[in-house]
Amino acid sequence: MSDMLFFDRQDRELMKMINAIIDYGPSSDLEHKIFNAKLHPHGILNLTTSHEFRMAQAVINLLGSLTKAGPAEDRLAALRTLHDEVLHSAQTTFRYNTGRALIQIMKAIIRSRDDEDAQLRLIHDFRKAASGNPRIVREFLTRHHLMEMPEEWNQLTMDHHVHDANTKGRKNATFLIMDAWVKGIRYLTVVYYNFVELDVARELLSAASIMGISVRIGLEFRAAFRGRYVDFIWAPRGFSDIEDFLEFLSSAPMRAFMDEGRNASNWLRDHVMRTLETWNKRHAPALTRDLGIPVTTLDPDAFLAFVGNGQPSLLHLAEFAHKALLPRFKAKIADLTMELEEADDDRRAELLRRMRRMNEFTPSVIHDSCLAPNCNPELPSPEDPPESPDDDRPELLKLSVPQLLERLSSLRSGYRITLQLAGLTAEDVLELLWDGQGFITHLELFNVKEWHDGNLKHLKEINELQIAINKGDVMLLKRMLRGMLERFDCSCCPDTQARCEKFRLILAHIPALQALYRYAPLASHMGTDSTSHLGNRYGMGLAVPETLPASARKRLTGNKYISSVTLPLRIQLGYREEYLPQHHASPPALARLRRALGQVTCGMRRTREWEPLYQDVRIEQPGNIVTMGGLTMEKDNGLLPKPEDALAEREEKNGKAYLNTTVSNVLKVLLGFIPALLTFLNTQNWWVLAWFGAPIWFGITGVRNVIQAIIAGGGVHKNMLLTWKNFVNWSRVCDSLMYTGISVILLEGLTRNLLLSRLLGLTVETAPLLVFSIIALANGVYISSHNIYRGFPRTAVIGNFFRSVLAIPVAMFYNSVLYAVFPLIVSMPPEQILIPAAAIVSKFASDTVAGVIESMADRRNNYRLRGWDYRTKLKHLFDCYTRLELAFPDKDMLALLAQPREFIRFTSQGTARALQVESIVNALDLMYFWYYQPCAQQTLIAMLKDMTREERVVLARFQSILINVQEVCQLFVDGMLGTNFSRALSFYLDNHENYIDTIARQCSAFDAKRRGKEAERRRN
């Protein structure tokens, strides 16, 4: 019985479908259906599957690709489907944050496969978040460690140093971009070592284009400097689009340079494999003696399979060794735990030492104690440059700083070269800048990983040097250079003497140093160096809180879910506003109003953007940059029992948040109805109002919500397949009934009965205006208060407060009408009814005004959603037509489209077949919009008005393709919509003829009006 109270039937059905795909994988036709990027999320797909299921399929595809290789096209198609689904799912303006929450919850659902209770809770959360209610979405964002982002999507969030699975990260390029979008990151630099494969670059940039993230590809190289390596990140720039960048990578000079990079990476790979051999020969036997368990040797082929597409590193090797050891640790600790019970004190101490040693033997410990270059001195260290010319490493790893920078700058004129500062001093940076002769454009002023590891001890001095160079401060530069010379003992060794001579040379040529960065200041980059691999690490992403919503800034402190860290880093911000024309043509009256008021921006779309000034970044406290991810601690292997006080609190299994929706709705109505009934029973003497006051009150609100929903949905038309029930959100109605029932206590019990009647002696008979004004004011305060609690936008809160002002004259009118009508239907004096019913009359007036205002607001929201749907789909349609025209330049495609059967025959072969299918898909989606989406017909008619005659002709003729029943039905049978296509096929067969005629008539009507206006102008 208790199970029936919690969760919905849809929750359990969705869980079964998701788990079936996780366990058995999708069928081929289902994959074809889900990942057909031409199908619109609000289109005909809705007759076959729910958008929750399609999202789950897309996330499963992306998560599955972490552990197995697959075509990048499948991942990109899954990402495109996921992006479209989440952005079209929210029915409110809170769509970006809703989409981020939905993806994160869906990831948690899939990862909770082994815990069905947790899955049910998450699926219920998912369906609640899909409503787009801001309060609910904010709660889920916080719970899943995500910051709220502005819906304008203009936040300043970046990470200029991350890695994917092709280097030392875990995530493939597509998954990395998806995670970056979910976090809210807008600017990203993905770093690769020495080279990047063309397919990897294509996948990364294509995924970023889908999600709207600005991505740069950086290549990290090393150069010899003062007996060590320094690292540079080279990011070529100035490309017009993805294909332009890929063409650059494919050029002959770049191919040759990438081959050198592969040789360098192969040498580093060989070092890792030699370290593996050293583990097998020396470290494994030693650990066997130390830990008391047989530490097996590592298989090189298995290790390379474990690394996958990445470049093998000592970090990978540490994790692979840990993965091999962990099962043995678990088995051995179980045996030692049993032995402890009978061991004496000495033996017990030894057993506990071994158990602690195994528990603390994490990947980081393995790396630092066995695999780091200093642990294997017999191998040439990859951290040190070659000491002799006979060193076998590739030429790219032997270059000096000037040589490397010269090579990089010769490949392309537009670039960014970023110097990494780990382990460098201000003296080192100054010397490198001088040697680089302006080729170094950026400093990686902050690397969160290196900062956490203690490798950025001289940031303040380096930042002061950077500021001095950018400001052209000669006095400060001289003072810094003299300080550097004083710190060196210029007579101790030849190397130091040479360095002092270089500083004296710089001191004598300060103008030359300044000239290097006079027109392009030395800018800063900052990143996390996120890899998702071993050790204590911060997650991906940095944010400037000033660019986040106020509600997000409040959650940055004192929140158990979001543990961001404020970095000692301050960036100066610029702010830019742009005004652009609306998507539709402005009415002439608006243009006249602009001229009359002198407001040229009136009615235009405003975009606002923060501009980071990377040439003016300071190391100082307090900073204004925070980490977007908390610190992941690698404490131990979790093999020993924790103290009771360290155990995490268990989440409550079920609660009111997971009640069955029907049960929850009934409880909401009762929660409102019972206090309303008790209030009327306590305040009314006439039995009709005492017993029926609450039903009347609820009836006013319920009927208003239903009428409001129907009007907002565009009304019920004979050529739509929606009934009035399809427009009504019953959960929303029940919420409204709950809040309106509670308002009875305030309006009827406290305001009318106690305050006005008993304390002030005011009634609608003696002071109707004052009575209705006070009740309206109390109602406005109450409505605004629960609107704020429910997370409504500020405009809605303010509007609902002032709607009470508009309700005052309406209440006066209703009161006058009832005074005139009641004597005709009842024998009682009307004042005996209307005086105690003042709150009901005021409520009726308030709901009348609310019905008008909110139905207009909801209708405008539906127009916004349909406008977005139609703009997306019509863009696809016109793009398809353009590609048809370009594919057949000698053919009149518009005339061919006028003959649908001839068009199908002509496009049935070769590359044109894909365009034919796309044309049919676009027509089917547009037909579904017309019949099933609220306000779709009114929206399309309004958009037809703004189209040119040629665009209307193209639209009408593309819809006529649906007359080819056999070809369209064959697409259904071939699996375009999967196996569950019967309902969609029936919809098409029943409605396509009427739809084609209707669209043709609508387009012809506008053409007839245009011809009539032209004829009238000619007559005049």
Side-chain angles (χ1 to χ4, degrees):
M1 180 65 180
S2 63
D3 289 344
M4 297 176 61
L5 297 177
F6 296 99
F7 307 111
D8 298 332
R9 175 178 54 83
Q10 295 93 326
D11 296 337
R12 293 183 169 86
E13 289 177 354
L14 183 58
M15 184 180 72
K16 290 179 182 177
M17 289 190 291
I18 291 173
N19 289 342
I21 300 175
I22 295 173
D23 295 340
Y24 306 112
S27 61
S28 59
D29 64 339
L30 185 61
E31 282 187 332
H32 179 72
K33 172 191 68 174
I34 294 299
F35 299 133
N36 188 333
K38 304 306 178 184
L39 289 165
H40 195 280
H42 283 173
I44 198 168
L45 265 180
N46 287 292
L47 294 176
T48 62
T49 58
S50 65
H51 83 96
E52 294 97 336
F53 181 63
R54 297 194 294 272
M55 277 186 59
Q57 176 62 59
V59 176
I60 288 169
N61 181 285
L62 291 173
L63 284 175
S65 64
L66 289 175
T67 56
K68 60 183 180 182
E73 290 77 10
D74 288 352
R75 293 194 292 271
L76 291 173
L79 186 69
R80 186 176 292 106
T81 297
L82 186 63
H83 178 262
D84 291 346
E85 290 289 349
V86 298
L87 284 189
H88 285 84
S89 63
Q91 300 300 306
T92 68
T93 55
F94 211 57
R95 61 189 183 100
Y96 277 106
N97 286 291
T98 300
R100 295 170 57 228
L102 291 178
I103 294 179
Q104 193 66 16
I105 295 172
M106 185 56 72
K107 287 166 57 181
I109 290 170
I110 295 166
R111 287 169 171 160
S112 301
R113 172 63 186 95
D114 298 327
D115 187 347
E116 291 193 352
D117 286 338
Q119 271 192 315
L120 275 174
R121 291 196 296 274
L122 289 165
I123 288 172
H124 198 80
D125 290 345
F126 180 95
R127 295 178 61 240
K128 284 173 64 178
S131 67
N133 181 294
R135 180 180 61 85
I136 294 174
V137 172
R138 286 189 183 104
E139 177 186 343
F140 289 134
L141 285 172
T142 303
R143 191 183 301 177
H144 290 275
H145 315 286
L146 297 175
M147 299 176 183
E148 179 191 347
M149 296 295 152
E151 282 300 317
E152 290 180 275
W153 207 244
N154 63 349
Q155 71 275 10
L156 182 54
T157 48
M158 81 296 285
D159 197 329
H160 296 302
H161 194 150
V162 296
H163 295 273
D164 68 10
N166 294 283
T167 51
K168 60 182 181 181
R170 292 184 190 275
K171 303 168 185 174
N172 59 53
T174 304
F175 197 90
L176 177 75
I177 293 297
M178 183 195 74
D179 260 10
W181 188 85
V182 170
K183 276 181 169 286
I185 299 172
R186 295 181 63 213
Y187 304 99
L188 205 64
T189 300
V190 184
V191 177
Y192 298 91
Y193 298 132
N194 301 311
F195 73 97
V196 61
E197 297 290 357
L198 194 66
D199 292 342
V200 172
R202 185 189 304 276
E203 179 181 356
L204 176 70
L205 297 175
S206 299
S209 176
I210 291 169
M211 303 304 287
I213 295 177
S214 176
V215 166
R216 291 189 186 278
I217 289 179
L219 298 177
E220 184 173 313
F221 299 99
R222 322 192 86 181
F225 173 76
R226 300 288 178 192
R228 54 161 293 181
Y229 276 124
V230 290
D231 297 326
F232 297 91
I233 298 174
W234 176 59
R237 56 178 298 188
F239 302 98
S240 58
D241 54 22
I242 296 174
E243 293 304 321
D244 191 18
F245 179 76
L246 297 177
E247 185 177 344
F248 167 70
L249 291 183
S250 304
S251 63
M254 273 302 295
R255 287 202 309 271
F257 190 67
M258 291 292 99
D259 287 340
E260 291 188 53
R262 288 185 184 88
N263 292 336
S265 292
N266 287 337
W267 185 88
L268 296 170
R269 172 185 179 276
D270 293 340
H271 175 269
V272 174
M273 301 309 292
R274 289 196 294 269
T275 305
L276 184 148
E277 294 175 4
T278 304
W279 166 279
N280 290 338
K281 293 177 181 178
R282 182 157 58 86
H283 296 295
L287 288 173
T288 298
R289 294 189 297 270
D290 181 35
L291 301 175
I293 61 172
V295 177
T296 57
T297 58
L298 302 177
D299 180 21
D301 293 333
F303 168 64
L304 293 177
F306 171 79
V307 174
N309 294 330
Q311 297 183 19
S313 67
L314 297 178
L315 303 180
H316 288 108
L317 184 57
E319 289 199 332
F320 181 67
H322 180 262
K323 182 181 178 182
L325 287 171
L326 196 57
R328 296 180 179 273
F329 286 166
K330 291 179 179 178
K332 187 63 177 179
I333 282 185
D335 295 339
L336 295 180
T337 302
M338 296 178 62
E339 187 179 345
L340 274 176
E341 298 176 0
E342 301 178 358
D344 57 26
D345 290 345
D346 293 340
R347 180 59 177 165
R348 183 181 183 86
E350 172 61 18
L351 294 177
L352 288 173
R353 185 197 68 79
R354 289 169 57 188
M355 292 171 69
R356 284 193 297 269
R357 174 79 166 132
M358 283 185 278
N359 189 48
E360 295 167 356
F361 209 63
T362 61
S364 294
V365 173
I366 294 174
H367 176 272
D368 296 342
S369 63
C370 301
L371 305 179
N374 58 358
C375 300
N376 304 291
E378 67 275 19
L379 300 178
S381 173
E383 302 299 325
D384 300 325
E387 297 179 355
S388 69
D390 298 331
D391 194 286
D392 66 343
R393 69 189 71 197
E395 205 54 44
L396 192 60
L397 295 176
K398 297 179 180 180
L399 297 178
S400 66
V401 170
Q403 290 171 332
L404 175 64
L405 297 179
E406 185 67 34
R407 289 287 305 276
L408 295 176
S409 63
S410 67
L411 292 169
R412 185 173 178 83
S413 58
Y415 59 84
R416 290 179 177 176
I417 296 180
T418 303
L419 170 64
Q420 299 187 57
L421 303 181
L424 296 183
T425 63
E427 291 82 359
D428 295 331
V429 172
L430 177 59
E431 187 174 355
L432 287 165
L433 293 176
W434 180 259
D435 290 345
Q437 288 299 296
F439 290 140
I440 298 174
T441 62
H442 290 69
L443 301 180
E444 190 176 72
L445 195 59
F446 209 91
N447 182 305
V448 177
K449 174 182 173 294
E450 300 292 353
W451 172 69
H452 183 265
D453 292 342
N455 298 327
L456 299 177
K457 297 178 180 179
H458 303 282
L459 281 185
K460 187 69 175 176
E461 296 85 357
I462 294 172
N463 186 223
E464 289 175 356
L465 173 64
Q466 179 187 21
I467 294 170
I469 292 174
N470 286 340
K471 289 175 64 177
D473 192 331
V474 175
M475 295 181 62
L476 180 56
L477 279 173
K478 287 181 65 176
R479 188 164 59 250
M480 294 184 73
L481 276 162
R482 286 172 176 169
M484 292 176 184
L485 286 168
E486 290 174 1
R487 285 193 293 271
F488 280 103
D489 182 2
C490 296
S491 61
C492 68
C493 64
D495 186 63
T496 305
Q497 290 176 7
R499 201 166 194 190
C500 288
E501 287 300 320
K502 182 176 290 187
F503 287 149
R504 291 191 185 100
L505 178 65
I506 298 173
L507 186 60
H509 294 84
I510 286 180
L513 175 63
Q514 293 173 316
L516 298 176
Y517 298 100
R518 178 172 298 145
Y519 300 109
L522 182 61
S524 301
H525 274 167
M526 56 216 71
T528 60
D529 204 355
S530 175
T531 63
S532 301
H533 268 281
L534 61 85
N536 301 334
R537 60 189 184 272
Y538 285 92
M540 174 173 56
L542 303 173
V544 181
E546 298 164 60
T547 67
L548 303 181
S551 54
R553 295 197 296 270
K554 292 177 183 177
R555 287 175 168 82
L556 292 180
T557 56
N559 190 302
K560 67 177 182 179
Y561 294 108
I562 297 177
S563 54
S564 61
V565 175
T566 301
L567 303 177
L569 194 64
R570 176 165 291 275
I571 185 171
Q572 299 298 319
L573 299 177
Y575 190 71
R576 185 183 72 249
E577 287 188 353
E578 288 185 356
Y579 291 87
L580 301 171
Q582 294 285 357
H583 294 296
H584 52 80
S586 300
L590 184 57
R592 289 194 293 270
L593 181 63
R594 288 177 184 166
R595 289 194 297 270
L597 298 177
Q599 297 291 329
V600 296
T601 61
C602 179
M604 301 181 75
R605 289 184 296 120
R606 182 178 67 172
T607 61
R608 298 179 291 185
E609 192 66 56
W610 295 95
E611 292 185 340
L613 305 180
Y614 286 117
Q615 70 274 18
D616 191 10
V617 181
R618 309 293 178 96
I619 299 295
E620 61 180 50
Q621 293 280 17
N624 69 340
I625 295 180
V626 299
T627 59
M628 299 180 72
L631 179 63
T632 301
M633 303 293 290
E634 185 187 66
K635 296 179 180 178
D636 53 44
N637 291 320
L639 301 176
L640 299 180
K642 299 286 191 302
E644 299 241 339
D645 56 335
L647 291 176
E649 294 181 3
R650 290 187 176 180
E651 185 180 359
E652 185 183 1
K653 259 189 152 183
N654 292 323
K656 63 179 182 179
Y658 301 105
L659 283 172
N660 178 282
T661 300
T662 302
V663 174
S664 177
N665 287 341
V666 170
L667 290 177
K668 288 176 185 177
V669 175
L670 290 176
L671 184 61
F673 186 79
I674 292 173
L677 179 62
L678 294 176
T679 300
F680 277 107
L681 288 173
N682 187 56
T683 59
Q684 298 292 337
N685 295 322
W686 187 33
W687 68 272
V688 174
L689 289 179
W691 287 101
F692 292 99
I696 293 171
W697 192 282
F698 268 55
I700 292 170
T701 299
V703 172
R704 187 262 293 177
N705 273 274
V706 172
I707 296 175
Q708 173 185 318
I710 294 172
I711 295 174
V716 179
H717 299 280
K718 63 180 182 180
N719 57 348
M720 289 188 69
L721 299 180
L722 297 174
T723 64
W724 69 271
K725 295 179 182 179
N726 298 117
F727 295 109
V728 181
N729 183 331
W730 294 108
S731 292
R732 179 177 173 178
V733 173
C734 291
D735 284 338
S736 184
L737 292 175
M738 178 183 71
Y739 286 109
T740 198
I742 296 172
S743 73
V744 175
I745 302 173
L746 172 67
L747 302 181
E748 167 66 15
L750 298 179
T751 305
R752 186 203 66 81
N753 185 59
L754 180 61
L755 176 63
L756 295 175
S757 181
R758 296 188 181 183
L759 296 181
L760 301 179
L762 298 174
T763 67
V764 292
E765 186 178 20
T766 59
L769 179 60
L770 185 58
V771 168
F772 286 128
S773 297
I774 293 174
I775 294 175
L777 177 63
N779 192 33
V781 171
Y782 171 74
I783 293 172
S784 299
S785 300
H786 76 68
N787 282 176
I788 293 172
Y789 168 73
R790 295 163 74 182
F792 284 13
R794 183 180 301 176
T795 52
V797 174
I798 296 173
N800 278 325
F801 178 81
F802 284 103
R803 90 180 193 198
S804 301
V805 177
L806 298 176
I808 295 172
V810 178
M812 296 284 290
F813 171 75
Y814 283 168
N815 192 64
S816 301
V817 171
L818 292 174
Y819 255 104
V821 171
F822 273 152
L824 303 177
I825 57 178
V826 295
S827 58
M828 296 174 58
E831 60 271 11
Q832 291 186 12
I833 300 174
L834 293 176
I835 289 174
I840 295 178
V841 174
S842 182
K843 167 68 176 173
F844 189 21
S846 176
D847 274 42
T848 301
V849 176
V852 174
I853 294 176
E854 293 186 17
S855 62
M856 291 173 61
D858 291 345
R859 188 181 180 89
R860 186 166 58 249
N861 186 52
N862 279 326
Y863 274 120
R864 177 183 61 83
L865 294 171
R866 295 297 80 75
W868 192 24
D869 291 341
Y870 270 117
R871 280 192 297 273
T872 303
K873 184 49 65 174
L874 290 175
K875 182 179 183 301
H876 290 168
L877 183 146
F878 291 126
D879 285 348
C880 180
Y881 175 70
T882 300
R883 279 179 276 135
L884 280 168
E885 290 281 20
L886 294 175
F888 304 100
D890 299 330
K891 191 74 175 177
D892 186 349
M893 295 307 301
L894 201 57
L896 187 63
L897 282 167
Q899 308 173 57
R901 290 182 173 82
E902 179 63 20
F903 173 80
I904 291 293
R905 186 197 63 78
F906 181 77
T907 56
S908 295
Q909 303 296 327
T911 57
R913 170 63 178 167
L915 294 173
Q916 178 196 111
V917 173
E918 184 178 342
S919 303
I920 295 173
V921 165
N922 289 331
L924 287 171
D925 277 339
L926 288 168
M927 185 172 79
Y928 180 88
F929 291 169
W930 182 264
Y931 285 107
Y932 274 108
Q933 291 294 359
C935 294
Q937 297 181 9
Q938 298 91 327
T939 301
L940 181 58
I941 290 171
M943 295 179 77
L944 287 174
K945 182 180 179 181
D946 293 331
M947 289 184 187
T948 63
R949 179 182 179 277
E950 290 73 17
E951 288 174 333
R952 287 194 290 266
V953 170
V954 171
L955 173 61
R957 292 186 181 179
F958 258 106
Q959 307 315 294
S960 66
I961 294 174
L962 297 178
I963 203 68
N964 299 284
V965 175
Q966 181 177 350
E967 286 74 14
V968 176
C969 290
Q970 188 63 46
L971 288 179
F972 283 91
V973 174
D974 290 343
M976 178 183 69
L977 298 177
T979 56
N980 186 28
F981 62 83
S982 57
R983 187 180 170 203
L985 179 59
S986 176
F987 159 70
Y988 160 70
L989 293 174
D990 291 343
N991 298 285
H992 73 280
E993 292 180 351
N994 178 63
Y995 171 71
I996 294 170
D997 292 341
T998 302
I999 295 298
R1001 285 198 307 272
Q1002 293 291 343
C1003 293
S1004 299
F1006 280 105
D1007 290 338
K1009 288 181 182 178
R1010 182 186 60 82
R1011 288 194 297 270
K1013 289 180 180 179
E1014 289 178 353
E1016 185 177 352
R1017 278 199 300 269
R1018 284 195 297 268
R1019 287 195 301 270
N1020 295 335

